[in-house]
């Protein structure tokens, strides 16, 4: 068992699965991908200055307060086309919506094993986006909650665009 914290600040109350080998692997993968994405965002959003959450406990990973962008990164151990939709916690969507109500553009960035994709969260969601129970028990505990399921047809492959400004 390990107490890998990465960049996270210490806190007394930890999730039940914190020291589980799979949870430690997931945190390490997420931290590695966040460092990679931090560099990538400088290229993809060249006019922006993102700050990365290093507490490890915030819902949103990257904020640009000047240009008003909020981005949540989700690292996945699957290829993009493995499923018809991609799951993300509803709490992430709710947080992005709060930023959007304050004039931010909200994005989910998905780091798959074969590519990175971006989804700009619209003010009005398409009808085929669903909310239902989802989650995992792969870390030794049931980690289920309400989730948002985004059909992969809405994800834009980042490699197909020079930068964000060629995407819009």
């Amino acid at each position: 068992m390990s107490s890998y914290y990465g960049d996270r600040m210490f806190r007394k109350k930890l999730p039940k699965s914190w020291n589980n080998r799979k949870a430690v692997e997931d945190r390490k993968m997420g931290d590695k991908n966040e460092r990679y994405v931090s560099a990538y965002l400088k290229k993809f959003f060249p006019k922006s200055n993102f700050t990365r959450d290093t507490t490890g406990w915030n819902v949103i990973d990257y904020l640009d307060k000047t240009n008003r962008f909020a981005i949540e990164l989700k690292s996945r151990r699957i290829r993009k086309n493995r499923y018809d939709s991609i799951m993300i916690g509803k709490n992430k969507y709710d947080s992005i919506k709060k930023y959007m109500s304050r004039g931010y553009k909200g994005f989910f960035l998905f780091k798959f094993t074969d590519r990175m994709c971006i989804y700009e969260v619209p003010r009005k969601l398409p009808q085929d986006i669903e909310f239902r129970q989802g989650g995992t028990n792969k870390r030794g505990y049931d980690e289920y909650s309400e989730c948002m399921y985004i059909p992969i047809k809405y994800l834009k492959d980042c490699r197909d665009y020079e930068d964000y400004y060629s995407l819009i």
Side-chain angles (χ1 to χ4, degrees):
M1 297 238 197
S2 173
S3 290
Y4 173 79
Y5 277 86
D7 293 340
R8 290 165 196 79
M9 296 180 347
F10 178 79
R11 80 177 192 189
K12 290 182 181 179
K13 187 174 181 186
L14 298 171
K16 289 179 182 176
S17 63
W18 183 260
N19 287 318
N20 175 290
R21 182 185 56 80
K22 181 73 171 143
V24 170
E25 287 174 8
D26 287 351
R27 285 194 303 279
K28 287 181 179 179
M29 179 185 72
D31 289 347
K32 177 183 173 192
N33 286 339
E34 282 186 20
R35 287 188 293 277
Y36 168 81
V37 166
S38 291
Y40 181 81
L41 288 177
K42 290 177 184 173
K43 177 183 165 262
F44 201 72
F45 291 87
K47 300 173 187 172
S48 295
N49 185 23
F50 286 96
T51 56
R52 178 171 76 98
D53 168 50
T54 56
T55 68
W57 309 111
N58 288 335
V59 180
I60 302 301
D61 293 316
Y62 301 93
L63 284 178
D64 176 347
K65 293 180 180 178
T66 304
N67 295 298
R68 305 185 75 73
F69 293 131
I71 298 177
E72 170 60 14
L73 169 66
K74 296 311 297 178
S75 298
R76 299 291 189 236
R77 284 189 168 93
I78 58 170
R79 298 173 65 81
K80 175 190 176 189
N81 294 310
R82 174 82 160 91
Y83 299 104
D84 293 333
S85 63
I86 190 69
M87 174 181 70
I88 190 165
K90 185 176 180 294
N91 64 318
K92 305 291 186 177
Y93 172 67
D94 291 341
S95 185
I96 285 283
K97 275 193 341 185
K98 286 179 186 170
Y99 279 103
M100 291 170 64
S101 72
R102 294 184 290 192
Y104 281 73
K105 287 189 175 203
F107 301 89
F108 295 137
L109 195 60
F110 295 96
K111 174 82 173 64
F112 295 101
T113 57
D114 62 335
R115 66 189 82 188
M116 191 156 44
C117 297
I118 193 164
Y119 175 70
E120 184 170 350
V121 180
R123 298 224 176 268
K124 185 176 180 343
L125 293 176
Q127 287 188 329
D128 53 349
I129 288 183
E130 298 179 321
F131 292 91
R132 63 179 191 271
Q133 279 296 107
T136 186
N137 61 7
K138 292 179 181 176
R139 292 185 277 256
Y141 291 90
D142 288 343
E143 297 176 306
Y144 294 96
S145 62
E146 189 171 4
C147 293
M148 176 182 194
Y149 289 82
I150 304 166
I152 60 166
K153 68 183 179 184
Y154 295 121
L155 305 183
K156 305 282 187 195
D157 288 7
C158 292
R159 65 184 177 197
D160 293 343
Y161 302 91
E162 185 176 328
D163 59 24
Y164 167 73
Y165 303 99
S166 61
L167 175 76
I168 55 174

